[in-house]
Amino acid sequence: MKVGLDIDDVICNLCVDMIPKMNKRFGTNLDYRNLPTYNVEQLGIPLQDFYKFVKNECDSYVTSPPMRGASEITKRLIDDGHEVYLITARSNLFSRNMVDVTRSWLAVHNISYTDVVFDAHKKKGEIAKSLGIKAFLDDRPEELEDMVKHGVNAYLF
């Protein structure tokens, strides 16, 4: 079966590393365990300032730990004959080397996958449908709604 997984906060524990850095940089008091939204503007951070932060100051895409069990679970899926597609909004729009940084992070943390799709422009449901993915795991309800709209079984992480 073709399985799809989001990277950030499904495979990579990004928020646990990035939120304290955002709090320090932007003077916010966000709790990564209870974020009301992933929309940084709704969190009081101008989008362009966030992009500059990610591009110039934040190393969280390198230093974040994997989610517990991510390596073992992705390896088992592959070993059991499933195709594992990682679909992420990460792209070189955020940083010139985001694709390379992400591939390196996946290798360092022994994350097994068939392919990784980087696309900040398309909704993940459209991508998953085009790949023939049957089940997708994401931490964002709006992405799951899009999956269902495209006929993909969606599960909230």
Side-chain angles (χ1 to χ4, degrees), residues 80-130:
D80 287 350
H82 300 287
E83 294 179 37
V84 176
Y85 293 86
L86 307 179
I87 302 176
T88 182
R90 289 184 183 193
S91 76
N92 286 341
L93 287 175
F94 301 115
S95 174
R96 266 183 283 174
N97 64 347
M98 183 64 74
V99 169
D100 292 338
V101 164
T102 301
R103 288 186 189 281
S104 176
W105 185 95
L106 293 166
V108 164
H109 294 287
N110 300 308
I111 305 300
S112 301
Y113 59 93
T114 305
D115 198 6
V116 59
V117 178
F118 299 89
D119 198 322
H121 297 293
K122 289 183 184 173
K123 285 287 206 175
K124 292 178 185 175
E126 181 181 343
I127 296 167
K129 181 179 179 180
S130 73

Side-chain angles (χ1 to χ4, degrees), residues 6-119:
D6 177 38
I7 293 178
D8 294 329
D9 296 311
V10 173
I11 297 294
C12 173
N13 200 347
L14 184 66
C15 278
V16 74
D17 191 78
M18 183 181 275
I19 295 299
K21 294 172 185 175
M22 287 173 59
N23 285 337
K24 183 176 179 181
R25 168 64 173 82
F26 297 109
T28 53
N29 190 28
L30 303 170
D31 182 347
Y32 69 89
R33 295 166 296 208
N34 192 27
L35 284 178
T37 180
Y38 286 104
N39 182 324
V40 293
E41 292 177 303
Q42 290 179 9
L43 296 172
I45 301 168
L47 192 57
Q48 291 306 316
D49 292 349
F50 177 73
Y51 286 156
K52 286 180 196 172
F53 167 72
V54 168
K55 186 175 184 179
N56 300 320
E57 301 172 42
C58 183
D59 61 352
S60 293
Y61 292 98
V62 174
T63 60
S64 292
M67 289 296 215
R68 186 180 59 211
S71 174
E72 297 82 4
I73 290 167
T74 56
K75 181 181 182 319
R76 181 164 181 188
L77 285 167
I78 294 287
D79 289 350
D80 287 350
H82 300 287
E83 294 179 37
V84 176
Y85 293 86
L86 307 179
I87 302 176
T88 182
R90 289 184 183 193
S91 76
N92 286 341
L93 287 175
F94 301 115
S95 174
R96 266 183 283 174
N97 64 347
M98 183 64 74
V99 169
D100 292 338
V101 164
T102 301
R103 288 186 189 281
S104 176
W105 185 95
L106 293 166
V108 164
H109 294 287
N110 300 308
I111 305 300
S112 301
Y113 59 93
T114 305
D115 198 6
V116 59
V117 178
F118 299 89
D119 198 322

